[in-house]
Amino acid sequence: MSNGHLGRRTLLTGATAVALGAATGTAIAAPTEVPSLWREFTRTPFTHPQIPYVGRAGHRAGSRRFPRPRTLADVTDYGAVPDGTTDCAPAINRALAAAGRAGGGTVTIPPGTFRIDDLIRIADPNVVLRGAGSGRTTLYATKNLTELIGVYGSRYGGDKSSWSWAGGLIWLAPRARWDSLVAAIRSKAWPFEGWTGNRRDEWTTLTTIEPARQGSWTVTVTDADHLAPGQLVLLRLADDPAHTLLQHMAGGGPGPAAYSWADKTKLTSYVPYEWPVRITRVHGRRITLERPLPLDLRPEWDPRLTTHVQELTGSGVAGLTLEAVETPQSPHLLDKGYNGVVLQCAYDCFVDDVTVRHVDNGFGLVAASACTLRRTRVAGRGSHHPYFCREGSHDNLIEDFTIEQRTVPAPAGTQLHGINVEGLSSHNVWSRGAMEMGTFDSHRGLPFADVRTDITVNNDGRHGGDASAGPLFGARFTHWNIRVTNGRAGLMKIDGLAPYSATVGLNEVREFDQTDVPDFTGDLHSRLELYGTTDAVRPRNLYDAQRELSR
């Protein structure tokens, strides 16, 4: 799909084909059924009130192929030795830096165990670190981020460690951005972590934008002189004193209008909303985007396209296991930073066939957009956030993922979340997952228009989030074909919690342990279909079906 427009015949033909297609994987436990929500969606895919359009989520709009740039070096050429005792981090980082200076390329790691006493940095575009497979190549990490970089406090105060939700022992982030973050941490000037710098002031306006509606693929700008096809720009929306932007993210209406927004200081620190997107066409003042608008553009929100910090793009890590030295899990929010793989200020980057073991936090998306994590696995002694998605991360795809049951009992005072999303993050997809522990951790911060589909979960985790971070859910949150093995409802059945959202194809569950009340009063306009079924809904996978409609 080049121009983002789907014909009615294409939609209906695709919907029929997907709905009638054969099931894969788990055996069908009930007659299959196409819900009315799916039929409605095919008629209004970009503006449906309960289901978001996520058919172009992920690396290169959901491409099944990851880049394989030419191989430039093997880490053993730079002195790495797979003996499990030699510190190979300097050699690996030298090889990656050389690939960056060459304009990109693949750095390979042969089978074996390579000890690393420092973190691994992928800081340049089109650089790929590729092992021989997650079952053959292992990086054995002996130190944590507190040791390597320093104590990282929270910009919101208290004694919390920001390594509980930031940073990785494999860290993909543009060089200048990473350098500025580390400098701020070491000087104890706790930074913002997103696309516009440590103080959110590293941007300039490219152009203002005329009003437009959610779901539009084109916008009209005031001045297109600084815009070009292929360019990554930041759509910036500021809130107004009445917080009507936050209300719009929550679906609007009496409930969000009556909600107390002004005292939610952590939530309001996430605004302005910043959405990275590539331009595909410039025709006069008409600009075509690679994805449809996630929200309305209204004059009171001062919509504009801006610059941002230089992104990391085209880079990835594949085919390896990152194993941290096994230590007891830290008390809640005091993680030392035995973290896995993190993508930060990254766009069109990827992780494929990677396992992390004995980590505090597994895979992270921090102000990362249009990235794909495929065939990833969290294993070992148990983690705080197996997956986290925060600081305005959008349009990402996490598919074929696994969270294994922990190998040791959880120490007292620790916490387990699961697949986390927060901080106004939107249009992210979790697809085809096996969660032997954890939960669907909507961590407050008004995440909206996110999808979780075709997932089996032993729902034994607990969600988090400060009260000052605001609502658990915004609008257009969808849970589609979810199999809860222990029958616990919390954060699975969301028709009573998420406004203008959908729960479709969920087996019977009941409330116990952590039980939440809605953030918004009145009718939530949330939909529930095919409740009490297992794998009966067709299409089985909402993301795959939307992607087929987009072809």
Side-chain angles (χ1 to χ4, degrees):
M1 181 180 65
S2 60
N3 61 5
H5 298 289
L6 303 179
R8 180 174 175 82
R9 177 175 294 179
T10 300
L11 280 169
L12 294 178
T13 301
T16 301
V18 172
L20 297 178
T24 59
T26 307
I28 297 171
T32 61
E33 186 173 342
V34 179
S36 59
L37 271 164
W38 174 249
R39 300 184 191 280
E40 293 172 14
F41 177 83
T42 62
R43 293 192 289 270
T44 59
F46 310 130
T47 58
H48 192 276
Q50 278 90 15
I51 298 177
Y53 175 73
V54 292
R56 293 176 68 81
H59 167 268
R60 295 184 180 176
S63 171
R64 295 300 188 192
R65 293 185 178 182
F66 295 132
R68 298 185 70 96
R70 64 189 179 98
T71 299
L72 293 179
D74 189 276
V75 296
T76 57
D77 299 335
Y78 285 79
V81 182
D83 59 6
T85 59
T86 301
D87 177 17
C88 298
I92 296 171
N93 283 323
R94 284 196 301 270
L96 291 168
R101 290 192 298 271
T106 297
V107 172
T108 58
I109 313 178
T113 298
F114 296 80
R115 172 173 168 160
I116 55 172
D117 296 342
D118 199 354
L119 61 92
I120 302 302
R121 291 178 57 192
I122 299 178
D124 298 295
N126 303 310
V127 172
V128 175
L129 180 64
R130 186 176 295 277
S134 60
R136 302 181 67 200
T137 296
T138 297
L139 302 183
Y140 179 66
T142 63
K143 295 185 178 181
N144 58 57
L145 294 169
T146 301
E147 295 173 288
L148 296 172
I149 294 176
V151 172
Y152 187 4
S154 169
R155 66 178 184 253
Y156 300 104
D159 60 355
K160 301 172 184 176
S161 167
S162 285
W163 297 129
S164 299
W165 54 75
L169 292 170
I170 299 178
W171 200 333
L172 290 81
R175 185 175 305 279
R177 188 72 187 98
W178 191 89
D179 289 344
S180 69
L181 283 166
V182 170
I185 293 166
R186 287 176 172 162
S187 66
K188 302 189 184 308
W190 313 131
F192 285 91
E193 299 156 295
W195 285 101
T196 48
N198 294 344
R199 297 187 303 179
R200 298 195 75 181
D201 60 359
E202 297 176 33
W203 60 275
T204 58
T205 297
L206 297 169
T207 182
T208 55
I209 314 174
E210 294 184 4
R213 298 300 300 272
Q214 171 205 325
S216 298
W217 293 75
T218 60
V219 295
T220 300
V221 301
T222 305
D223 180 5
D225 287 350
H226 301 289
L227 306 177
Q231 180 181 359
L232 185 69
V233 294
L234 209 62
L235 170 65
R236 181 181 174 91
L237 296 177
D239 206 359
D240 61 7
H243 298 294
T244 59
L245 175 60
L246 294 174
Q247 293 178 42
H248 178 52
M249 292 173 177
Y259 184 79
S260 175
W261 299 99
D263 62 343
K264 305 303 186 292
T265 53
K266 190 171 184 179
L267 173 63
T268 53
S269 77
Y270 300 145
V271 183
Y273 175 78
E274 296 168 339
W275 182 62
V277 65
R278 287 201 194 280
I279 294 171
T280 60
R281 186 170 185 260
V282 178
H283 183 70
R285 294 192 299 121
R286 295 288 289 172
I287 308 301
T288 303
L289 307 173
E290 77 173 323
R291 291 178 176 84
L293 288 177
L295 296 164
D296 289 351
L297 307 185
R298 301 180 187 174
E300 56 266 35
W301 302 332
D302 190 24
R304 58 186 60 221
L305 299 179
T306 76
T307 62
H308 50 84
V309 298
Q310 182 63 50
E311 72 272 11
L312 181 70
T313 188
S315 298
V317 56
L320 58 83
T321 289
L322 173 67
E323 180 174 334
V325 58
E326 187 171 1
T327 60
Q329 186 177 347
S330 296
H332 190 219
L333 299 177
L334 297 178
D335 295 347
K336 296 175 182 176
Y338 289 107
N339 295 347
V341 182
V342 166
L343 291 77
Q344 185 162 4
C345 295
Y347 196 94
D348 278 338
C349 292
F350 69 94
V351 179
D352 182 34
D353 182 27
V354 172
T355 295
V356 296
R357 183 173 288 116
H358 303 322
V359 294
D360 292 338
N361 301 281
F363 295 89
L365 296 158
V366 181
S369 293
C371 296
T372 295
L373 279 60
R374 184 178 299 157
R375 297 189 298 164
T376 55
R377 179 179 296 266
V378 181
R381 50 88 157 158
S383 56
H384 179 192
H385 296 99
Y387 292 82
F388 56 96
C389 177
R390 52 179 294 270
E391 204 78 10
S393 291
H394 313 291
D395 304 301
N396 297 293
L397 170 63
I398 302 94
E399 64 179 355
D400 301 307
F401 66 94
T402 301
I403 302 173
E404 293 186 1
Q405 185 59 251
R406 64 189 312 138
T407 55
V408 296
T414 61
Q415 188 61 270
L416 165 66
H417 295 311
I419 53 175
N420 156 278
V421 61
E422 58 183 287
L424 301 184
S425 297
S426 66
H427 296 85
N428 301 289
V429 178
W430 290 262
S431 170
R432 291 194 302 274
M435 298 174 58
E436 297 174 11
M437 64 177 190
T439 193
F440 288 0
D441 176 33
S442 295
H443 211 84
R444 301 200 176 273
L446 198 67
F448 67 94
D450 297 297
V451 168
R452 294 154 173 160
T453 183
D454 197 6
I455 299 171
T456 300
V457 52
N458 177 38
N459 185 22
D460 64 353
R462 295 174 66 86
H463 77 74
D466 293 339
S468 65
L472 281 169
F473 298 96
R476 304 192 311 283
F477 227 98
T478 302
H479 290 174
W480 187 284
N481 191 19
I482 306 299
R483 303 166 291 273
V484 184
T485 60
N486 62 346
R488 179 178 172 224
L491 278 294
M492 305 287 139
K493 184 176 180 289
I494 58 174
D495 57 300
L497 290 175
Y500 286 95
S501 292
T503 306
V504 181
L506 172 72
N507 58 283
E508 288 191 14
V509 292
R510 62 186 178 88
E511 295 286 0
F512 62 91
D513 190 32
Q514 188 177 36
T515 303
D516 289 290
V517 297
D519 292 291
F520 304 109
T521 58
D523 187 354
L524 296 180
H525 301 281
S526 196
R527 303 273 294 274
L528 178 68
E529 282 199 69
L530 295 183
Y531 177 59
T533 67
T534 301
D535 282 322
V537 60
R538 290 296 178 271
R540 174 190 175 110
N541 185 293
L542 182 61
Y543 168 73
D544 287 344
Q546 289 197 22
R547 187 173 177 272
E548 286 299 313
L549 296 183
S550 305
R551 292 170 69 93

